[in-house]
Amino acid sequence: MARSRTRPPRRELRVGTYARLDRDRVRRIGVPEVILGQGKTVPHLLGILRALAARGEGAIVSRPTRSQLAALRTQRRAGLPIVFRAGDRIVRLRGPLGAEYRPGRVAIVTAGTSDVPAAEEARAVLVELGLRPVLAHDVGVAGLHRLLRAVRTVERYRPEVYLVFAGREGALPTVLAGLVRAPVVGVPTSVGYGRGGRGEAALTAMLQSCAPIAVVNIDAAVPAALFAAQHFLLSAPARRGRRAR
Amino acid sequence: MARSRTRPPRRELRVGTYARLDRDRVRRIGVPEVILGQGKTVPHLLGILRALAARGEGAIVSRPTRSQLAALRTQRRAGLPIVFRAGDRIVRLRGPLGAEYRPGRVAIVTAGTSDVPAAEEARAVLVELGLRPVLAHDVGVAGLHRLLRAVRTVERYRPEVYLVFAGREGALPTVLAGLVRAPVVGVPTSVGYGRGGRGEAALTAMLQSCAPIAVVNIDAAVPAALFAAQHFLLSAPARRGRRAR
Amino acid sequence: MARSRTRPPRRELRVGTYARLDRDRVRRIGVPEVILGQGKTVPHLLGILRALAARGEGAIVSRPTRSQLAALRTQRRAGLPIVFRAGDRIVRLRGPLGAEYRPGRVAIVTAGTSDVPAAEEARAVLVELGLRPVLAHDVGVAGLHRLLRAVRTVERYRPEVYLVFAGREGALPTVLAGLVRAPVVGVPTSVGYGRGGRGEAALTAMLQSCAPIAVVNIDAAVPAALFAAQHFLLSAPARRGRRAR
Amino acid sequence: MARSRTRPPRRELRVGTYARLDRDRVRRIGVPEVILGQGKTVPHLLGILRALAARGEGAIVSRPTRSQLAALRTQRRAGLPIVFRAGDRIVRLRGPLGAEYRPGRVAIVTAGTSDVPAAEEARAVLVELGLRPVLAHDVGVAGLHRLLRAVRTVERYRPEVYLVFAGREGALPTVLAGLVRAPVVGVPTSVGYGRGGRGEAALTAMLQSCAPIAVVNIDAAVPAALFAAQHFLLSAPARRGRRAR
Amino acid sequence: MARSRTRPPRRELRVGTYARLDRDRVRRIGVPEVILGQGKTVPHLLGILRALAARGEGAIVSRPTRSQLAALRTQRRAGLPIVFRAGDRIVRLRGPLGAEYRPGRVAIVTAGTSDVPAAEEARAVLVELGLRPVLAHDVGVAGLHRLLRAVRTVERYRPEVYLVFAGREGALPTVLAGLVRAPVVGVPTSVGYGRGGRGEAALTAMLQSCAPIAVVNIDAAVPAALFAAQHFLLSAPARRGRRAR
Amino acid sequence: MARSRTRPPRRELRVGTYARLDRDRVRRIGVPEVILGQGKTVPHLLGILRALAARGEGAIVSRPTRSQLAALRTQRRAGLPIVFRAGDRIVRLRGPLGAEYRPGRVAIVTAGTSDVPAAEEARAVLVELGLRPVLAHDVGVAGLHRLLRAVRTVERYRPEVYLVFAGREGALPTVLAGLVRAPVVGVPTSVGYGRGGRGEAALTAMLQSCAPIAVVNIDAAVPAALFAAQHFLLSAPARRGRRAR
Amino acid sequence: MARSRTRPPRRELRVGTYARLDRDRVRRIGVPEVILGQGKTVPHLLGILRALAARGEGAIVSRPTRSQLAALRTQRRAGLPIVFRAGDRIVRLRGPLGAEYRPGRVAIVTAGTSDVPAAEEARAVLVELGLRPVLAHDVGVAGLHRLLRAVRTVERYRPEVYLVFAGREGALPTVLAGLVRAPVVGVPTSVGYGRGGRGEAALTAMLQSCAPIAVVNIDAAVPAALFAAQHFLLSAPARRGRRAR
Amino acid sequence: MARSRTRPPRRELRVGTYARLDRDRVRRIGVPEVILGQGKTVPHLLGILRALAARGEGAIVSRPTRSQLAALRTQRRAGLPIVFRAGDRIVRLRGPLGAEYRPGRVAIVTAGTSDVPAAEEARAVLVELGLRPVLAHDVGVAGLHRLLRAVRTVERYRPEVYLVFAGREGALPTVLAGLVRAPVVGVPTSVGYGRGGRGEAALTAMLQSCAPIAVVNIDAAVPAALFAAQHFLLSAPARRGRRAR
């Protein structure tokens, strides 16, 4: 059974006046809170990570900014137990995240090479949670043979959820959702220029899909990964008891 | 075990020059094609339904227009085996749809009374597919006690997916996703006036949610229902191995 | 050789104070001016058609409004030599249009049944110009086998230009442009609801296409047909030299 | 009684050809003009501050740019009596502002740590005006217990106005406005990425709120603070009668 | 002392499966829930009002649709104790609303005659709540003398909050906020055509105001009225301490 | 000398509680206030016109709605001295408007027949003010010879201002502004469908014009006419006379 | 009489393969072509200026980029006869521009200090053309006394056109157009943050103005200046007759 | 006969895990895949080019980023057989592209000097494919004589397709399409500031064109070039039959 380390965290952890960490979240919803780096001041982010590290807890930071990354590298040299993932787009504070899942596969499929970095974020989060994604990159829609061959390979692993990354016109999730027996989540990526560029066309096209897909925001690889992870929740203690209610 | 009648349809059914029905879809992706009424001419829609009825196959039509409804009522009197659901927002051509699902619950939750009609569409589709949704309406976010009580009631049924309908500011899926251990799909409804009205604010807010939710388009209750249904797919031949894990 | 009747019109025809018909256009650019019904008052439209009919010239009217159609039907009974095409979306004033083309095929392909009415407009205009389009409707992208079979059939006619109609997510022109050896022009149709509905998503997605396609505006079937027709221009006097190459 | 120093300024102060300072404003509307740094040239901003300092008057500058801050630091070393607040997002020219208020509390509540810097601007302005805000940061909506506990703490101070800062989906003001007996002003912050990012979704969602809130623009912390301050105006001569009621 | 009748309602009232009325809201936030007619089915709206009437409770309905108004008129003849206000834009179910306020004035100012109907909604709600608004209509900004005279008249009543209605370019709240010693809330109205029409320009301009105003959505007269009413809340038990300061 | 009748109106005329007519405007700015019909209730509009008629003053109403027109026709039969202009898009209450202008020509040029109705509004207003516009309709940009011939004809009248009406791509004002020695004002018309339709593309294109033109809103023919009229204000020769007032 | 030097330029001047200078424009339309720096490569811009300088002709460059400015400074040291105006936002190549105007005043009025740099561009262009603008800066709308005093001062010069610069909510042109007897052109400036920031709100508000103003694009100070200059055109040969009236 | 070197590539080339090059595309659709640099990581782009170079195949890279260009320059020194085109906007990996075309001309026309760099991209791609474009730059629409002369020159080469580049108001393709007997493709360029700037107005105006043009996205010079190239396809095996007609 896949599990991502143990010890569930306590209810609320206050850091300075500026943060109240919701340490009960993983118990309530089955996935840990991922800390959004972007938008936080460097001192705030460091304060949060140090407080967690001091308690031996783990964490995931997404979308760190350049100045945050610089500060984090300094902190790592000073002993903060962090590692960088997905080309520095994900920062992992070592320590238990408290999430446990039954085995099963999430497929991560990308339309083009430019979508790979965003997909790597999702992969890194799933791996940190103890899940094992299956990958197929640069599958395109302008060359159907490429696509069909890649789908056949991925389907061998019988994925239970698909995360499909596409920028530009964002057609891939629609095409894929006509081919596979599992829920497809479209993840538009900020690829493309001109009108509808930076993922806008892809997002809107996915919302208009003639196939039954669900969508997350542009580049929202991490929310997509967490959404996928919830499909593999054990009805472990926290849900065993629910029965009893 | 829940199942929605039998006999899987054949590959492609041509109707006039204007339609090629993808009768293999339910086998490939586990949910049947739902025919979008809106946008089709009345003769085209009737032609499609008559062709299916002639072969004894079932179908679901969503978003029928007024003139389509009028024509369909005439046809029903003339013997076309159809029934109207969800306040005439869904038309069901009686006959097998070819989909089979394991038992399990989809929760349908609405923020306000105005969201109920859209939610009824999703409910009707799920019921036609043989699934049994759990409902909680008018749950709000401006009265947290209402919300918490409703969630507690719904959770007793241990739903595996949530479809959460909200218009206006669209906050409910975010709040719910902080409370339950199952994937939450936000369905923005075309409720609200002024800037961001007709579901625009709700959709954008759901895309920006600080909780890990996925989203469908405004009023896309039917795609949401199909997406949810895929979570309950039986391992069909093509997926037999999944069981073995 | 295909040709759409003869006698080229003269330079400028003034109708009342409100219209100056550019009767030289077909000579200059190889396709006749199509009169946009929508937006004109009924008296203005009738005045223009009567003036042309009085000189024995032909014309095409696109997007007639309801009140224009009603008035035109009355006029027809009164002897105005008009016929209605494409479900009344095109009105043809009988008489020469002045355009001549070499033989060759335009392919008209639609993603869904809802796109057929727009495609019929393009077909009607091409036929009136003396060209012979090849059609394939409801070809989809969510069922690739349907699509591949349809493309194979159409390709037998070796079309030199493709007009590809799609609403919703607008993926079909992109997929087709990865399969065929001819220029593909995407025509977004006003199909779809919610964000990006009424053709907005389709248009933007086509603009972002990862394949080399060109695009016209939403429902701009008639401009697309004229653009396609220009590919089959005979070397008229002004272009005599081209032949010689 | 709270008051922010004395001596009301005179009517209009001309600075070069480029500025006419409205020194009567605090008397007319009860709050001083805050100078928007962003958009002004460095010489213009310095000219204005030097002219005020020369008369011994105070001022507040919001949203100073980098080059303005650099120039202001140089000026401070040269004797300009300024201090920097809220992480350099507010510059205070020491000296009387002319505003006086009765005691009373403004609550400043933020949804997340990323909203704190904007909230600090509001806090700084209120403090400079002599008011004493109550703070609760990182209150979230995805963890209702956090939220309810924080609201209970803040309510102890019986705030008469709430300024509620939220980015992303902007749900917090709506939820709060269902819990407290005071006017709630939503302040969207430029937090979030993708569609609706940089505060766009938050603003629109607040405008669509199903609770009776008022809203200011994205990151408009300073206007929000001034709007709140007006609730604590003492009955100045022109409003003497209000007391008597 | 102004008060709008008595007996506070109980916690939650369920109506059919489709509504849970939050009867505790007036106690929690000081203003009653106003039922948004628009978007509700006629049976749902009638069901809600009948359930409230059966308990002798009052209610306010805003933005009733035509079909709702027709049904309500029938119901009134059948004994439902309702009255129509503000040109049928507000429906009042007679009976206590549970809100009580200290005396005080809200100013309602409109830029043009076209803004009067929206302003009438706010006035009707305030009057039903027991408050006494002061009015000044068609005050303009293109004729400053009109404006200054009107402001002088209104100011005599020493209003504590201003609700300022404007469509088109929406300049009036900005100009007014430079003249009066009270919080100004801008209410954009759906007046104007072309780009920025239907209130869009007015809303955006108010958000960009160079004066410290807060804003509600286009035509959101009722939320504006409730927001204003909260300024006159009596210290209810839960807020007893505020008095003591 | 052109003049549009005499007797200047007095300062402010109050009608009911809902209107304050700015009767000083024509003296202040040289053009009378035009009453915007659209958005006003029928009783309000009638009230205003009756009050003016009672004093023997004239007025112009623009954009009357259908129900206003119906009511006005009834009133006319009952003796209200009104006439309808420009296909009922302008209503003229007979009586002096108070404006006087020196002679001079405004050119009104339209790109297509569909722009004529909007242009007729401008023409009607100018004529009512006593000015004499020069017209050229359906001048196009896709047929340059048409355009050049029309410009030559118009130029013979030496117009001092051009009002150029265009929908669709809105290119005409740009092309014209490269040909004539007078200020060109672009008036986008709500002609066109799909993306950028209803005048949106025309407006934006005019704002981006590579020629020095000024622009009014979509279909804003009346403001354009008033703006043009101000060029012909008498303050005698070089405006010397204004002093004398 | 104001005039800006003499010798009219010849028809077309080709520079490399990349530019055809329209040297006939000043004769045709009465104002010279202003070269838009932004968007041109440095070699292209230098090539154009050198070609003009070689013929002893003058030119105006607007919106030079940083790299263009750097290159131009180097060229100036190398002898290119240029001067920098309006804080380097305008570059003047010395030499005749060919435009001549009768005397008369353009008023340049700004809402705030932040609008001054854009207004300076217009002033510089007018001055180079030989016209003499009247200025009033930081006139505001939130302090009407400031505004009225400034208008009174400016009106003494009897300006024949007003260019009114405003960012944020863009109310000033509307207010001014209610006070003065001359055409008012609104120039929105890219001042403001959040929704509607960077001039978007100002532009839209001006388009919606309830007063008869015309508008140019955001920061389009130079087109506004040229548009204003055309009001002062002398009757050139082609317009000789106008004098005679 | 024009041809761009020989040896057609094989089906699919996998590079690392991140790229599957579609080497069959040129055979299927007649134009090679152009690699979009923008959006790819430097290692991904280098990996792809090295893999192709290792097989002796050629490639075209469009929109390289600065860091990609820096890395590519280093690689070139290390022996990667690349050349830079169109001011470094196109990178050519030497080697066969596999495309062959019959002779014929594509016209490339630009509205202004600022459009030249984008047009240069199209020219470079066409030249690399073995086609010979005809150029006319800075043709304008504000000076019709310039335009007419340039069109006459270009028409001498009897181009079969026009690629027309324009930013700002984007009027040129519309005007040109009224003058020439060949399909016109509009290419909006990211030229212009303010509302509709960066090519937005140009794109929308082209979509609204009253002439029959097709359009590509803003700055999409390379897709436009490929679309044009398809007009010159030789009848390859799969299309052999077309000849026979």
Side-chain angles (χ1 to χ4, degrees), chain F residues 46-72:
Chain F
L46 293 187
I48 290 167
L49 292 181
R50 280 207 217 92
L52 288 166
R55 296 178 129 71
E57 287 174 27
I60 299 175
V61 178
S62 68
R63 301 179 79 90
T65 63
R66 282 182 190 215
S67 48
Q68 288 170 353
L69 280 172
L72 286 170

Side-chain angles (χ1 to χ4, degrees), chain B residues 63 89 114-115 118 166-168 187-193 197-200 202 218-220, chain C residues 194, chain E residues 38-39:
Chain B
R63 303 179 76 92
R89 292 163 77 121
S114 303
D115 306 318
R168 310 291 300 267
V187 189
T189 62
S190 56
V191 172
Y193 57 89
R198 312 210 58 70
E200 288 288 332
I218 299 165
D219 288 337
Chain E
Q38 188 188 56

Side-chain angles (χ1 to χ4, degrees), chain A residues 22 25-31 100 102-105 155 157-160 162 176-185 203-204 207-217 220 222-223 226-227 230-231 233-236 238-245, chain B residues 22 25-31 100 152 155-156 158-162 176-185 203-204 207-218 220 222-224 226-227 230-231 233-243 245:
Chain A
D22 181 2
R25 190 174 296 180
V26 74
R27 192 191 59 75
R28 282 201 322 276
I29 70 168
V31 290
E100 290 184 34
R102 66 173 173 75
R105 295 291 199 168
E155 276 285 278
Y157 294 87
R158 295 168 211 297
E160 292 176 59
Y162 274 79
L176 250 176
L179 296 172
V180 301
R181 276 175 78 82
V184 170
V185 178
L203 171 57
T204 314
L207 287 168
Q208 279 292 335
S209 177
C210 59
I213 65 176
V215 181
V216 296
N217 208 336
V222 171
L226 298 176
F227 179 83
Q230 286 181 316
H231 290 80
L233 280 174
L234 290 169
S235 29
R239 309 239 309 163
R240 205 175 307 141
R242 203 198 289 181
R243 265 265 139 99
R245 253 178 305 166
Chain B
D22 181 2
R25 190 174 298 179
V26 74
R27 191 192 60 76
R28 281 202 322 276
I29 71 168
V31 291
E100 289 184 34
R152 238 173 282 131
E155 276 284 280
R156 261 182 232 129
R158 292 167 217 299
E160 294 176 57
V161 193
Y162 275 78
L176 249 175
L179 295 172
V180 302
R181 274 174 79 84
V184 170
V185 178
L203 170 57
T204 314
L207 286 169
Q208 279 293 334
S209 175
C210 59
I213 65 176
V215 181
V216 295
N217 207 337
I218 299 165
V222 172
L226 298 176
F227 179 82
Q230 285 182 316
H231 292 79
L233 279 173
L234 290 168
S235 311
R239 314 243 302 164
R240 209 177 306 143
R242 201 198 289 180
R243 266 277 145 87
R245 249 173 311 162

Side-chain angles (χ1 to χ4, degrees), chain C residues 144-191:
Chain C
L144 290 182
H145 298 290
R146 265 197 306 175
L147 166 63
L148 293 170
R149 211 170 318 133
V151 168
R152 238 171 284 132
T153 310
V154 168
E155 277 283 280
R156 260 181 235 130
Y157 294 86
R158 296 171 210 295
E160 293 176 60
V161 193
Y162 275 78
L163 301 183
V164 187
F165 292 74
R168 311 293 298 271
E169 86 293 319
L172 184 61
T174 295
V175 172
L176 250 175
L179 296 172
V180 302
R181 274 174 81 82
V184 170
V185 178
V187 188
T189 62
S190 58
V191 172

